Amino acid sequence: MREALVERATAETWVRLRLGLDGPVGGKVATGLPFLDHMLLQLQRHGRFLLEVEARGDLEVDVHHLVEDVGITLGMALKEALGEGAGLERYAEAFAPMDETLVLCVLDLSGRPHLEYRPEAWPVVGEAGGVNHYHLREFLRGLVNHGRLTLHLKLLSGREAHHVLEASFKALARALHRATRLTGEGLPSTKGVL
């Protein structure tokens, strides 16, 4: 089983996260921020992962620290669960529509962290449950830097914050599921290392 349990504590947050890449699908998610829980359940369901998250943060200050630190912890767990990466599909892409919204996520489990996501160019209106598309950037930045992957996220259409954020998490989940499948043997790299 490709699985990891990671706990991360700072002066601002505490996160305990368990990730199983090969299921079973499900697990309790409780961060104290209902919209973040809703998004993590999208990752769980559409990524077909075991994902358990228990977290606390200084929500009286802002949602920023908690959203970012959950992304960091997820990245740490992903890196640990993948191990050396033998047999990985490695590359994947996924579209996710949600009514008027369409999002594309393309990723590479390359070992090289890079995030291509420009929220200032997205014409998103408002927020959803205290979370906006700039908070999404911090979540993704934490995931990318600590999971050591390259991730491109593109908004092809849409403006309503809830739809944009949810479609983004669904596209991410579907791409992560595909990229983490074991489809070969050996490392999927001509360098011999990810």
Side-chain angles (χ1 to χ4, degrees):
M1 291 293 288
R2 297 177 302 154
E3 192 171 299
L5 175 63
V6 176
E7 187 171 321
R8 184 171 190 273
T10 73
E12 299 163 338
T13 65
W14 173 83
V15 182
R16 183 178 185 274
L17 188 147
R18 181 177 171 211
L19 175 66
L21 298 177
D22 304 309
V25 176
K28 182 180 178 185
V29 173
T31 67
L33 182 58
F35 189 79
L36 179 58
D37 292 353
H38 183 48
M39 294 303 96
L40 294 172
L41 290 171
Q42 302 308 314
L43 278 179
Q44 181 190 86
R45 173 62 55 192
H46 298 285
R48 299 179 218 154
F49 299 132
L50 167 68
L51 179 61
E52 297 175 352
V53 184
E54 185 181 358
R56 294 186 301 273
D58 55 355
L59 294 176
E60 69 281 1
V61 174
D62 189 30
V63 304
H64 179 106
H65 298 143
L66 181 65
V67 173
E68 177 183 32
D69 286 7
V70 170
I72 289 170
T73 309
L74 178 61
M76 294 166 67
L78 177 64
K79 185 175 185 307
E80 184 178 326
L82 288 173
E84 292 183 12
L88 280 180
E89 179 64 20
R90 181 179 163 177
Y91 296 97
E93 72 288 325
F95 289 93
M98 188 168 181
D99 300 337
E100 79 294 344
T101 298
L102 180 61
V103 174
L104 169 64
C105 180
V106 182
L107 57 82
D108 175 11
L109 301 176
S110 62
R112 295 184 309 277
H114 179 81
L115 175 62
E116 194 61 36
Y117 167 64
R118 306 204 181 280
E120 62 279 359
W122 287 25
V124 178
V125 176
E127 60 182 33
V131 178
N132 63 41
H133 59 299
Y134 290 96
H135 296 125
L136 174 61
R137 176 183 58 195
E138 300 313 310
F139 177 90
L140 293 174
R141 190 179 282 164
L143 170 63
V144 162
N145 288 339
H146 293 269
R148 304 191 57 78
L149 60 142
T150 294
L151 193 156
H152 290 248
L153 192 68
K154 303 292 181 190
L155 177 65
L156 304 177
S157 66
R159 290 176 52 86
E160 197 276 322
H162 189 129
H163 289 175
V164 168
L165 292 168
E166 188 163 337
S168 296
F169 271 86
K170 287 176 176 176
L172 172 62
R174 290 171 52 82
L176 277 173
H177 174 76
R178 292 175 183 168
T180 58
R181 295 310 87 200
L182 297 175
T183 58
E185 295 182 13
L187 287 167
S189 170
T190 56
K191 296 178 184 178
V193 65
L194 289 178

